[in-house]
Amino acid sequence: MPVTGTGLAIMDPYLTARSLSTPATLFAIAAWLSNRPRWAVAWLAVTAALHPQMAVYGSLFIGSMALVRHSRAARAVPAPVFGATIGLPLLLNFEPLRGAARECLLSRTYFFVSTWTWYQWIGVFAPLALLWWFSAGSPRHTLPAFRPLAATLIPFGLTFTTVAVMLAIPARLETYNRLQPMRSFHLLYVVLFILLGGLIGEYGIKKSLWRWVALFVPLALVMVLVQELTFPASEHVEWPGSNRGNTWISAFLWIRYHTPKGAVFALDPNYMAQPGEDSHGFRAVAERSALADNVKDSGAVSLFPQLAEEWKSEVDAGRGFDHFQLEDFRKLAREYPVTWILTARPRPGLTCPYENKDLAVCRMQ
């Protein structure tokens, strides 16, 4: 389930920091609702260690629930974590961006709600309308936390939407879009679907085994189909150490086990968008350094623009990589500490100790 126009899904089909920070945030909310504020603070600290940005949203949501309770104790206990996370944006430099840094920021169009389509706005207001219905109706047989959760999510979502609109309009505020206020809807969607699931279980499928099967078997099959179409060259479940035919993973694993730890690789800056690569990160799998890529590394640059010039320099140096010849690789090695090359085919003049049907790993002399 995509989270409106944010570029996020409720749960990614591959391991990310959100894979761990999301349940940690939910544990924090559950602890708060169970009147265990110290556990809530502990879980927020875990979330902050895993994903500081998502910890901000979790802390602000719990802070919103505390304000709803109008209790001095409710406001006092989360104050340290609330104050720490609200100050996290101060760690970023918000001077106007220029050159490569601005180019990189503007390439992340989903940062700017002014570029969203009409159906992405449905993804903003339809969940808020559902939550308003939940909070106004207070369905029978729900737990006491149901209505406060739904009621708090409404101003939570509207506030961040207002902030996002305000940042997207004047050009002088464009650098602040790096805060990505609409990513708060990730938490809103997760809690909303928990509430929806509770209602479906209570009023729809109840204790009927066949109703459970009728709901979840088609749902699971659709999810399998979508993932197989999204990552056609990968195993549906990637067990540690296993690989059945993905040539990119085979090359990455060979590099991990047969090249020096200090090796620095050059490969196509757009390798993660290549057919069959399926978004596997070179550094994560091969455990080796590489020049900057144009797909994922640009995300880090959008948050930390001081990396922009180095990133753009390395990406530009690798443009046209598939057509490089020996002299091009030598030029690359003179400019950067490149010692190995991962390329689509062996190149004359290079020693390539590993090849498969799509890739070759070559050593720079």
Side-chain angles (χ1 to χ4, degrees), residues 104-112 294-296 298-299 302:
C104 182
L105 177 65
L106 296 180
S107 71
R108 309 309 244 212
T109 55
Y110 56 85
F111 282 15
F112 301 86
N294 196 34
V295 179
K296 284 294 185 182
S298 57
S302 67

Side-chain angles (χ1 to χ4, degrees), residues 163-186:
V163 171
V165 171
M166 291 173 62
L167 294 181
I169 296 174
R172 66 179 180 275
L173 296 180
E174 67 181 14
T175 183
Y176 288 91
N177 285 278
R178 291 152 52 202
L179 293 174
Q180 304 173 70
M182 293 306 289
R183 284 199 168 202
S184 60
F185 271 70
H186 181 267

